[in-house]
Every structure is written in structure tokens, then in C-alpha cells.
Amino acid sequence: MAQGVVVLFDERANAALARLLDRLDTAGVPGARRFPPHVTFAMASDIPARTRAALKADLRVLSIPNLWLYTLSAFSHTENVLMLGAVVDTELLAVHSAVHDVLAGKVKNPNSYYLPGSWVPHCTLAHGMADEQTAVAFRALFPVEPVEARVARVAILDTATGDLDVLV
């Protein structure tokens, strides 16, 4: 079980991402549809209610920039992942750091992949693919048009239940 601080997108970005997922499905590679399209800013085994309230207060005064999902890429951790990487700029890094400033020392088991200096902001398109599926998926989507993703909401996503606790 894990809980993540995620940004969710506007309908236009969601529609563009759904079209990419449809192309994956057509190619025989199941797209990542368990959760709504998102970029994860932080992940931990538990983000307590008091910490959520502090994060909500901080997020109200932050200006969260649009994300440009542009770089089609793959990585392997415990399973192969196909992703659209976000263009990283100083505004995005500042928001990411602010989120982690609130969470520091207040969450259980923070995931090091999402910490400042390690984070690769991305929207997962497919995961759990066999190696040969990864190549098929990449060919099905490349070249990909950039997706301008306006942030519509910031929420805590519970990866066990799929529940979203909307912060802003």
C-alpha cells in the first residue's frame, strides 16, 4: 500500500492521453488505466491527515505550472514502464520542493524515487510489460505529440484502493 501526492489534468490533456492509451490497446499492449492520468510528486506508505492539511494550506498559495508531457521513454524497476516524461523547469522543481518541504519528517516510508534530486516527473502510459511488448508499445506511439497538461487538481492517491483525497 502506498499513498502519493499527484497532480491530475484538465479534460483536454486527459483526452489526449486517452488517445495514446487507445493506440496502445490497438497494438495489443494494455495501457495504464487503473488510475486517472497523473504525475506523482511524492509517494509514501502513509500521508497522515495532519500532513495533508498542511499540504493543502501550502498548495493554496503555490502556482502550479502546466506540465508539458513530451518525452516518450521507458524504464525498468520492478516492472517495465512506458511513460511520457514532463519537461522540467524551475517552476516545476520549486513546486516539487515545496511539497517535499511539507512532507519532510511527517510521512512514513517516503519513496526515494520521488525525492528532490531523484525525481523524474512522468505520466505512466503502460506498465508490467514483457520486454518485447515494450518495443511494440514504443513503436505504436512514436513519434508522440507533446501534451500540454493543465493541472486541474492535486490529490492524495491511495494505490491500494484507488481513492483520491482532493487537496486543491
Side-chain angles (χ1 to χ4, degrees), residues 59-136:
L59 288 168
R60 285 189 182 143
V61 297
L62 289 175
S63 175
I64 303 173
N66 294 348
L67 282 80
W68 281 95
L69 304 172
Y70 181 73
T71 307
L72 183 64
S73 184
F75 67 89
S76 184
H77 171 52
T78 56
E79 56 187 26
N80 290 336
V81 173
L82 184 71
M83 66 175 199
L84 266 184
V87 174
V88 178
D89 60 20
T90 55
E91 286 179 288
L92 182 59
L93 291 175
V95 171
H96 182 252
S97 285
V99 166
H100 280 274
D101 287 348
V102 173
L103 300 178
K106 298 177 185 124
V107 299
K108 293 180 184 173
N109 305 313
N111 186 316
S112 63
Y113 289 112
Y114 298 94
L115 294 175
S118 299
W119 182 54
V120 177
H122 67 278
C123 179
T124 299
L125 299 174
H127 57 85
M129 303 168 292
D131 291 346
E132 56 276 357
Q133 281 184 307
T134 303
V136 169

Side-chain angles (χ1 to χ4, degrees), residues 129-152:
M129 303 168 292
D131 291 346
E132 56 276 357
Q133 281 184 307
T134 303
V136 169
F138 197 90
R139 282 193 303 275
L141 298 183
F142 187 82
V144 70
E145 291 291 321
V147 175
E148 181 182 8
R150 296 180 194 275
V151 175

